[in-house]
Amino acid sequence: EVLWVNYRIQDRNITTLENHLLTQQALIPLTGEVIHIVAESKPEGGQDLSTLKAFRTPWPGGAALIGIP
């Protein structure tokens, strides 16, 4: 399954995080670099903000695989 997402959020303040419990994700920037913010999950659910990390996915030629063991 392929999902096209336009990341247009320019605000540097992070107010929400997505949670992918049952899926894996490949992030391939098509029009510009992406800064991807990730965190581990707590055993009881929700994000463990102490594990928050940011990754730069460059464009062209960059990609990130998320949830792949």
Side-chain angles (χ1 to χ4, degrees), residues 11 20-21 24 29 32 34 40 46 50 53 58-59 61-63 65 67 69:
D11 190 348
H20 297 265
L21 297 175
Q24 301 163 338
V34 173
E40 295 180 17
S50 69
K53 295 181 182 177
W59 176 84
L65 302 176

Side-chain angles (χ1 to χ4, degrees), residues 20-56:
H20 297 265
L21 297 175
L22 302 174
T23 61
Q24 301 163 338
Q25 183 177 1
L27 176 66
I28 304 167
L30 299 177
T31 60
E33 77 173 14
V34 173
I35 305 298
H36 201 75
I37 311 296
V38 298
E40 295 180 17
S41 296
K42 294 180 182 177
E44 65 275 8
Q47 296 88 15
D48 181 355
L49 297 181
S50 69
T51 66
L52 199 71
K53 295 181 182 177
F55 296 91
R56 177 180 165 263

